[in-house]
Amino acid sequence: DAGVTQSPTHLIKTRGQQVTLRCSPKSGHDTVSWYQQALGQGPQFIFQYYEEEERQRGNFPDRFSGHQFPNYSSELNVNALLLGDSALYLCASSPGTGHPYEQYFGPGTRLTVT
Amino acid sequence: TQLLEQSPQFLSIQEGENLTVYCNSSSVFSSLQWYRQEPGEGPVLLVTVVTGGEVKKLKRLTFQFGDARKDSSLHITAAQPGDTGLYLCAGEMILSSSNTGKLIFGQGTTLQVKP
């Protein structure tokens, strides 16, 4: 049973560029959440997708956008990259409803903005 | 404002010692989850506590949820070098508009266990 997968593993971009990160959820999961994690810190919630719609959003600017496809996979797009966007981007999947709300994380994409 | 405060942020101990990590908040959570993360990997769920006062044990790890569901602790007995990693607590906040929630993470506790 495949877990959560993310691509690419590492990425280096220049300020002002745009980036797309990809995530495939764990089998049987239909909800995908994205997090940004700075080195040595806890993950910060970006947004969550369910049924191809953004269900909730954290405190991130509109430069951060996403999409969910009919097969539940998801993309995170970041426009006009800033140096401060350098971080580990984590994707987590979970069943769409139910409590407790346990999430299963992928290995992350390390984004470096120069 | 950090909703979940973890302490200590860094801990370096010798193999065989005991330790406790605390996770505190002024908010009530419907559940509290503990994750462990190793460098270059995503967080791995260790345990979920749901009921106030609940205690769960996972081998040498003991997790407790506070009676008011605002705080939690992780106690490790006889720590081993393999326990080294970043420990994260995450509180689940239920969305009133849907039957699901989101996770609010603490800033993490970096544990180093020396042989």
Side-chain angles (χ1 to χ4, degrees), chain A residues 37 42 56 98-99 101-102 106, chain B residues 33 37 42 48 92 99-102:
Chain A
Q37 186 178 26
Q56 53 178 312
H99 161 71
Y101 188 59
E102 297 176 343
Chain B
Q33 301 169 24
Q37 185 178 21
T48 301
E92 177 192 3
N99 184 29
T100 187
K102 67 176 182 181

Side-chain angles (χ1 to χ4, degrees), chain A residues 49-60:
Chain A
Y49 277 85
Y50 172 68
E51 292 188 342
E52 302 179 50
E53 290 189 359
E54 183 182 292
R55 182 155 65 173
Q56 53 178 312
R57 189 179 183 92
N59 189 25
F60 279 79

Side-chain angles (χ1 to χ4, degrees), chain B residues 26-68:
Chain B
S26 58
S27 301
V28 176
F29 295 105
S30 57
S31 76
L32 202 295
Q33 301 169 24
W34 285 91
Y35 292 80
R36 178 167 168 260
Q37 185 178 21
E38 298 195 37
E41 299 181 9
V44 175
L45 180 65
L46 296 174
V47 78
T48 301
V49 284
V50 178
T51 306
E54 182 177 4
V55 177
K56 281 192 175 179
K57 292 189 176 183
L58 184 65
K59 296 183 181 178
R60 293 175 294 100
L61 279 61
T62 302
F63 305 86
Q64 184 164 8
F65 203 10
D67 291 342

Side-chain angles (χ1 to χ4, degrees), chain B:
Chain B
T1 303
Q2 187 75 30
L3 274 180
L4 265 177
E5 295 285 344
Q6 262 187 261
S7 62
Q9 284 189 267
F10 302 95
L11 199 51
S12 182
I13 61 172
Q14 293 294 134
E15 182 177 1
E17 292 184 7
N18 300 333
L19 67 115
T20 301
V21 177
Y22 298 94
C23 184
N24 296 297
S25 177
S26 58
S27 301
V28 176
F29 295 105
S30 57
S31 76
L32 202 295
Q33 301 169 24
W34 285 91
Y35 292 80
R36 178 167 168 260
Q37 185 178 21
E38 298 195 37
E41 299 181 9
V44 175
L45 180 65
L46 296 174
V47 78
T48 301
V49 284
V50 178
T51 306
E54 182 177 4
V55 177
K56 281 192 175 179
K57 292 189 176 183
L58 184 65
K59 296 183 181 178
R60 293 175 294 100
L61 279 61
T62 302
F63 305 86
Q64 184 164 8
F65 203 10
D67 291 342
R69 305 208 320 273
K70 295 181 179 181
D71 54 86
S72 180
S73 64
L74 157 61
H75 182 78
I76 301 179
T77 304
Q80 300 177 359
D83 295 328
T84 293
L86 178 68
Y87 288 83
L88 296 158
C89 64
E92 177 192 3
M93 302 191 81
I94 293 290
L95 291 181
S96 59
S97 58
S98 65
N99 184 29
T100 187
K102 67 176 182 181
L103 294 180
I104 306 296
F105 280 85
Q107 68 267 55
T109 296
T110 300
L111 171 64
Q112 180 187 42
V113 182
K114 301 174 186 176

